[in-house]
Amino acid sequence: MEIGGSSESQNETKKGKSKTPRKPKESLLKQKSPAEFFAENKNIAGFDNPGKSLYTTVRELVENSLDSAESISELPVVEITIEEIGKSKFNSMIGLVDRERVDAQLYDDYETAKAREKRLAKEARAQEVQAKNAALGKKVKEQSTMKGMKGRGEASFYRVTCKDNGKGMPHDDIPNMFGRVLSGTKYGLKQTRGKFGLGAKMALIWSKMSTGLPIEISSSMKAQSYISFCRLDIDIHRNIPHIHLHEKRNNDDWWHGAEIQVVIEGNWTTYRSKILHYMRQMAVITPYAQFLFRFISDAPDKNVTIKFARRTDVMPPVPLETKHHPSSVDLLLIKRLIAETSKQNLLQFLQHEFVNIGKSLAERLIGEMGPEFSPKMVVKSLTDQQIVRINQLFRQAKFDDPTGDCLSPAGEYNLRLGIIKELHPDMVATYSGSAQVFEGHPFIVEAGVSVGGKDVKQGLNIFRFANRIPLLFEQGADVVTRTALKRINWGSYKINQTQDKIGVFVSVVSTKIPFKGTGKEYIGDDINEIATAVKSAIQQCCIQLKSKIIKKMLAREQQERKRNLSRYIPDATNAVYDVLKHMSQSHASKKKRYSGEEAEILGNITANLITKETIKEKLAEHVEKVDYEMALEYATQTGVTEEPREDIFIQTLDPENKFIEFQSPIFVFRLVC
């Protein structure tokens, strides 16, 4: 009994032990580098999928090139090349030998005999339908290739190369500029094209994730006798560059600029239209730049070469770095400014670290802060509570709005010229608003509206720009789209919203663009200041167009009246001649006598000096005279001639030429000395 009892108790002990929960492992504190964070959340920077990654890489490289050239006031020349790399070529680049499949069933694209028979039957039925449609004269669609035949692991690779004539980079700075995330030259409070400050770094991260190949950079600065060449990749976990080769090469041609080459996984087929659309819109907003785009494939019929020629040498001014407006700062920013300032006391700090705070206003603010504050107190001795007090006062006090002097909009002239160059519209109107403010940040809205044009669809065609870069995604939620669709009564401006080919161009520039969403692809519709400015700018363009449209309508009506009168000349001639003939017969038979001028006319009728042809010519002359008088009055009132015009573009001047320049929103006049 005792033995049995002991075995029973042992079983219970075993059962009890099996039910005891396992102790969880102690969680260790881990850190991620910025590079590692963006690698894991690449969709934030626009690298959602291979196709979008190819588009974003092109966009980042082009925008870096434009910024580089504009920073030295050089007219940008940008060459972008996308070269398709086949699987065998890619394998040879990384030193991998192609291998025949041994176990075919192991692969994702394996097709059983039954599945193949089913697919072939489906293709045969599709061919029969196409043949019938062709026989009936219907439009035949091209048969798409079977999507299921490509395996998940069979990727497409592309070598993206971007070359410019910009500033170039210092030799020693190149590794950190490309191999260290969140390091760069564009940080600061000013208008910039970049959205995250990542630039080509994210393309390098994507290259490392998808191909493992390094990036290659060639760069030279002005009057530099050598070209810096660097081949590197990035240590994702440590966020530092891994340099393969960094050397100086001869610069016999005295070239300056940068050439960046990176090999990435991509998808040209699905994002071809987006990339070309981006290049076209970039040519609209930067008509002073010259772009050469090339796509090179193993199949010659797929090759693409497009040149977007320069049409002006008038460049917008370089954006200036500005100081913070008191209403736009927070506690963290105030603490950072205090730590970085070179000023000693509070009065100097307020005057020199913020815009729109003069000496008198700074003294009034310090007096309002309380007795523990004084103008001469050491700014770095401020306590956390005192900094909170400063922040609270900044939020409640009234300050003058910041000016837009630090901003660099495209300008009406460039916007108009870009629209005319790329779309060739029948009519175009542009408008540039004055600087306005949102949360302490100045912004300027420019707009253009065109009617008609080449390669423009019927209805509204909306083109959005933020800090002079095109926004192509998430258009439906954007403030420009919603304003154009819902808040503009196009009919009141004599524009047919559904039938006319309407181009709506809106560019917003600011020291801080209030993007929505993680991708930063659209400006929200919930910001009243920007929504009002966008609506006003579009309306100003529409008012200009309405005037032009009414003038054209009046001219068309005038031509229609002339055609109608000319059409009735033969009938009027016969009627007038018959009446005069009858009157001349009555005059000759003395049934009714006429005198003076009437008798003379009737006598000419009897003597055949006035015939039907004579009356017809006189009526035609009268119609022409009336039409000329009305046209003269129309031109006098409007100051516009309806003669055909030719587009005139300003050609690039020799740098040695000296000239005096006068600019207006629609033309530039130069007096060459």
Side-chain angles (χ1 to χ4, degrees):
M1 292 291 293
E2 290 177 3
I3 295 171
S6 62
S7 63
E8 217 173 282
S9 61
Q10 286 175 2
N11 289 337
E12 285 178 6
T13 306
K14 287 180 182 180
K15 287 180 182 179
K17 283 184 180 179
S18 63
K19 291 181 180 180
T20 304
R22 293 181 180 178
K23 291 183 179 180
K25 292 183 179 180
E26 291 184 6
S27 57
L28 300 175
L29 182 64
K30 295 181 180 180
Q31 291 182 338
K32 287 184 180 178
S33 71
E36 195 173 4
F37 172 81
F38 281 104
E40 293 178 1
N41 301 276
K42 57 186 183 297
N43 61 300
I44 294 177
F47 287 75
D48 306 53
N49 52 64
K52 183 82 177 289
S53 299
L54 179 62
Y55 161 80
T56 306
T57 299
V58 170
R59 193 200 70 197
E60 293 286 1
L61 295 179
V62 168
E63 290 164 13
N64 280 353
S65 295
L66 289 173
D67 284 335
S68 178
E70 290 173 7
S71 67
I72 56 172
S73 300
E74 188 87 17
L75 291 169
V77 177
V78 182
E79 298 178 11
I80 188 81
T81 304
I82 302 175
E83 181 186 352
E84 189 175 23
I85 299 176
K87 182 182 176 182
S88 298
K89 186 176 180 181
F90 174 76
N91 287 345
S92 65
M93 288 172 62
I94 62 175
L96 186 66
V97 180
D98 286 340
R99 177 182 168 85
E100 293 291 332
R101 295 183 178 183
V102 178
D103 187 353
Q105 296 184 15
L106 185 65
Y107 294 89
D108 182 60
D109 58 354
Y110 173 73
E111 191 177 28
T112 62
K114 188 176 181 181
R116 184 173 181 275
E117 184 180 346
K118 189 176 179 181
R119 176 174 60 81
L120 292 175
K122 186 177 180 180
E123 290 177 359
R125 287 195 300 271
Q127 289 176 357
E128 287 179 12
V129 172
Q130 283 189 331
K132 289 180 181 178
N133 290 338
L136 294 173
K138 295 181 180 179
K139 189 176 180 180
V140 179
K141 294 182 180 179
E142 292 185 7
Q143 192 170 358
S144 59
T145 55
M146 299 301 290
K147 295 181 181 178
M149 295 307 294
K150 188 173 181 179
R152 289 192 303 269
E154 191 175 342
S156 300
F157 301 100
Y158 301 87
R159 179 186 286 112
V160 182
T161 308
C162 185
K163 185 177 181 180
D164 62 62
N165 63 334
K167 181 180 179 180
M169 293 165 280
H171 179 80
D172 295 332
D173 291 347
I174 292 176
N176 282 330
M177 293 180 76
F178 286 88
R180 194 184 295 272
V181 174
L182 301 183
S183 66
T185 59
K186 296 182 183 179
Y187 295 113
L189 189 63
K190 64 178 180 178
Q191 173 190 326
T192 57
R193 283 192 172 95
K195 294 179 180 179
F196 295 97
L198 295 176
K201 302 180 190 73
M202 195 62 215
L204 175 56
I205 291 175
W206 173 245
S207 172
K208 188 172 179 67
M209 294 174 68
S210 59
T211 68
L213 292 173
I215 191 171
E216 293 185 354
I217 306 106
S218 299
S219 174
S220 181
M221 304 183 75
K222 266 193 173 182
Q224 193 168 272
S225 61
Y226 62 88
I227 295 175
S228 301
F229 178 80
C230 188
R231 184 184 297 119
L232 60 87
D233 62 22
I234 186 172
D235 187 328
I236 299 289
H237 302 291
R238 297 166 62 195
N239 191 32
I240 58 172
H242 177 214
I243 301 171
H244 296 237
L245 178 65
H246 193 193
E247 63 182 10
K248 296 179 180 179
R249 298 176 176 178
N250 292 333
N251 187 11
D252 298 330
D253 298 330
W254 294 97
W255 165 75
H256 66 86
E259 182 176 7
I260 300 169
Q261 188 177 103
V262 61
V263 179
I264 59 171
E265 181 184 351
N267 191 328
W268 166 256
T269 306
T270 56
Y271 273 78
R272 177 182 186 274
S273 61
K274 286 289 185 185
I275 293 172
L276 296 180
H277 197 193
Y278 168 82
M279 295 302 301
R280 188 187 188 195
Q281 288 198 31
M282 188 58 85
V284 168
I285 202 67
T286 53
Y288 53 86
Q290 177 178 303
F291 298 101
L292 178 61
F293 177 84
R294 286 189 295 254
F295 175 77
I296 302 172
S297 173
D298 293 336
D301 58 325
K302 292 183 179 180
N303 290 350
V304 177
T305 301
I306 304 175
K307 183 178 181 180
F308 299 91
R310 178 185 296 122
R311 284 295 179 260
T312 178
D313 56 8
V314 179
M315 292 176 61
V318 178
L320 302 175
E321 187 167 353
T322 186
K323 297 172 184 175
H324 293 275
H325 192 269
S327 63
S328 67
V329 298
D330 54 32
L331 279 173
L332 191 62
L333 183 54
I334 294 174
K335 289 181 179 180
R336 182 169 67 82
L337 293 175
I338 291 173
E340 295 175 355
T341 187
S342 60
K343 303 303 174 184
Q344 298 298 319
N345 59 54
L346 181 58
L347 181 65
Q348 293 175 339
F349 171 73
L350 294 178
Q351 281 182 256
H352 294 91
E353 297 297 338
F354 301 95
V355 294
N356 295 352
I357 297 184
K359 184 177 180 181
S360 60
L361 180 56
E363 290 174 344
R364 291 173 60 192
L365 289 169
I366 293 171
E368 187 66 24
M369 290 175 190
E372 66 272 21
F373 293 88
S374 68
K376 297 296 183 180
M377 72 182 300
V378 179
V379 68
K380 293 187 185 294
S381 66
L382 290 171
T383 64
D384 290 344
Q385 292 80 6
Q386 289 174 325
I387 294 174
V388 171
R389 175 60 185 145
I390 294 173
N391 185 47
Q392 289 175 348
L393 185 58
F394 278 175
R395 289 178 175 273
Q396 296 169 2
K398 183 179 180 181
F399 299 95
D400 292 337
D401 290 336
T403 63
D405 297 341
C406 61
L407 301 179
S408 176
E412 273 193 76
Y413 174 75
N414 279 335
L415 183 59
R416 177 187 294 267
L417 193 58
I419 295 170
I420 293 172
K421 179 172 75 83
E422 293 301 322
L423 269 67
H424 303 283
D426 301 327
M427 288 182 287
V428 63
T430 53
Y431 175 79
S432 181
S434 57
Q436 300 187 50
V437 181
F438 163 68
E439 292 185 353
H441 294 277
F443 71 90
I444 294 176
V445 174
E446 295 177 302
V449 178
S450 65
V451 178
K454 183 181 70 173
D455 299 331
V456 183
K457 299 176 183 177
Q458 282 188 332
L460 291 176
N461 298 266
I462 297 171
F463 302 84
R464 304 168 294 131
F465 304 92
N467 281 351
R468 293 196 272 126
I469 61 171
L471 302 177
L472 269 61
F473 296 91
E474 300 184 55
Q475 180 172 298
D478 192 89
V479 61
V480 177
T481 305
R482 294 196 173 185
T483 299
L485 290 174
K486 298 179 180 179
R487 302 189 185 110
I488 303 296
N489 184 5
W490 296 96
S492 63
Y493 302 105
K494 309 297 181 183
I495 300 174
N496 191 317
Q497 184 177 346
T498 56
Q499 295 184 2
D500 290 337
K501 297 178 178 179
I502 309 166
V504 180
F505 304 79
V506 176
S507 172
V508 181
V509 295
S510 177
T511 53
K512 181 183 179 182
I513 297 291
F515 289 113
K516 298 289 183 181
T518 54
K520 293 192 175 183
E521 290 290 350
Y522 72 99
I523 301 172
D525 191 35
D526 56 342
I527 302 169
N528 186 57
E529 294 90 341
I530 294 180
T532 303
V534 168
K535 180 181 178 182
S536 176
I538 296 175
Q539 285 178 329
Q540 290 296 325
C541 295
C542 291
I543 290 170
Q544 297 177 43
L545 285 180
K546 182 180 180 181
S547 175
K548 296 179 182 180
I549 292 169
I550 289 175
K551 289 174 185 176
K552 283 204 167 189
M553 290 171 65
L554 291 173
R556 201 179 300 119
E557 290 173 2
Q558 181 183 338
Q559 292 174 357
E560 189 65 27
R561 282 196 301 270
K562 181 180 176 181
R563 280 196 296 268
N564 290 337
L565 288 172
S566 300
R567 189 166 66 243
Y568 290 115
I569 284 177
D571 294 336
T573 299
N574 292 332
V576 171
Y577 184 78
D578 290 344
V579 170
L580 292 176
K581 191 73 174 175
H582 179 71
M583 290 172 65
S584 66
Q585 291 173 357
S586 300
H587 179 70
S589 62
K590 300 181 181 180
K591 289 182 179 179
K592 187 175 181 180
R593 301 296 295 177
Y594 296 92
S595 60
E597 190 177 351
E598 294 176 348
E600 184 182 351
I601 293 173
L602 294 176
N604 290 336
I605 291 288
T606 304
N608 286 329
L609 296 176
I610 296 178
T611 62
K612 284 186 178 181
E613 289 300 319
T614 307
I615 296 172
K616 186 176 181 180
E617 289 175 4
K618 291 293 182 183
L619 286 173
E621 288 176 6
H622 180 72
V623 169
E624 286 291 337
K625 182 181 178 182
V626 171
D627 179 66
Y628 175 76
E629 289 175 351
M630 292 180 68
L632 186 63
E633 182 183 0
Y634 167 74
T636 303
Q637 291 177 353
T638 61
V640 177
T641 59
E642 293 301 324
E643 298 176 1
R645 304 177 191 176
E646 293 183 1
D647 294 335
I648 299 175
F649 301 114
I650 296 176
Q651 298 299 321
T652 303
L653 293 174
D654 191 326
E656 297 178 357
N657 287 346
K658 296 181 179 179
F659 55 84
I660 301 172
E661 183 173 280
F662 305 91
Q663 293 192 24
S664 87
I666 58 174
F667 74 91
V668 172
F669 175 74
R670 282 181 174 149
L671 182 62
V672 181
C673 304

